[in-house]
Amino acid sequence: MRNTLPKIVFVSTLALTGLAMGACTADIHDNTINIPDAKVTFNTDVDSTTIAPGQAVPITLTAENVYLIEPSETPPAAHASDAGHFQIYLDDVGSTALAITAKVKTTVTVPANTKAGPHKLICRVHKHNGESTTTIVEVNITVVIKTGPVDGGVAESG
């Protein structure tokens, strides 16, 4: 479904209407990494249907029940079990992250070689040590490549 609103608030495509909810767990060598009741939201005020390759997209993230800390820092003992940060990807969490941050306001740049068409930005909460959790928010975007002027206007493909 295409969103044609000029401003949009992105929320989990797990439901597309609510927060990504539930405990974050990952099984790492028979040890369970857990951030209980972690929730995350992801929003921006840019039009998600007209993202250009190379475009910097400002985003705002919120996390509940996650003690946000940069991965290079050591969390206080009281937050060892709920310390984490965000990793943002294009299309696949197996790809290189576009951003790794504990900041709630950041910018991600869509790679310049991104092809026109439907894509998704994925925000996943990671433990402070980098281990992934299952708290993920996916945001649908459409990349549009602007071509040169056609009849005095600008042609777009997408």
Side-chain angles (χ1 to χ4, degrees):
M1 181 167 82
R2 290 189 135 190
N3 182 347
T4 58
L5 297 174
K7 294 192 181 237
I8 183 167
V9 174
F10 295 123
V11 183
S12 172
T13 57
L14 299 174
L16 273 183
T17 58
L19 299 175
M21 297 185 183
C24 302
T25 60
D27 187 13
I28 310 299
H29 307 295
D30 298 325
N31 295 320
T32 299
I33 305 298
N34 196 15
I35 298 179
D37 301 318
K39 299 173 184 127
V40 64
T41 61
F42 179 153
N43 65 64
T44 186
D45 61 357
V46 299
D47 182 351
S48 66
T49 64
T50 59
I51 304 293
Q55 180 176 338
V57 178
I59 60 173
T60 302
L61 300 158
T62 60
E64 292 181 40
N65 302 317
V66 177
Y67 180 84
L68 293 174
I69 187 167
E70 294 295 335
S72 60
E73 297 178 12
T74 302
H79 289 286
S81 66
D82 65 351
H85 61 273
F86 306 111
Q87 292 194 20
I88 303 166
Y89 305 88
L90 180 68
D91 293 330
D92 181 2
V93 294
S95 65
T96 301
L98 300 176
I100 300 173
T101 186
K103 295 177 183 174
V104 295
K105 289 187 183 266
T106 191
T107 301
V108 295
T109 301
V110 174
N113 63 347
T114 303
K115 294 181 181 180
H119 293 275
K120 60 185 170 181
L121 292 175
I122 304 167
C123 176
R124 179 167 63 183
V125 175
H126 284 248
K127 290 286 290 178
H128 72 280
N129 64 1
E131 297 293 343
S132 60
T133 70
T134 57
T135 299
I136 296 176
V137 177
E138 296 179 352
V139 176
N140 293 316
I141 63 170
T142 301
V143 172
V144 176
I145 299 174
K146 294 183 180 190
T147 58
V150 176
D151 297 330
V154 175
E156 294 182 353
S157 64

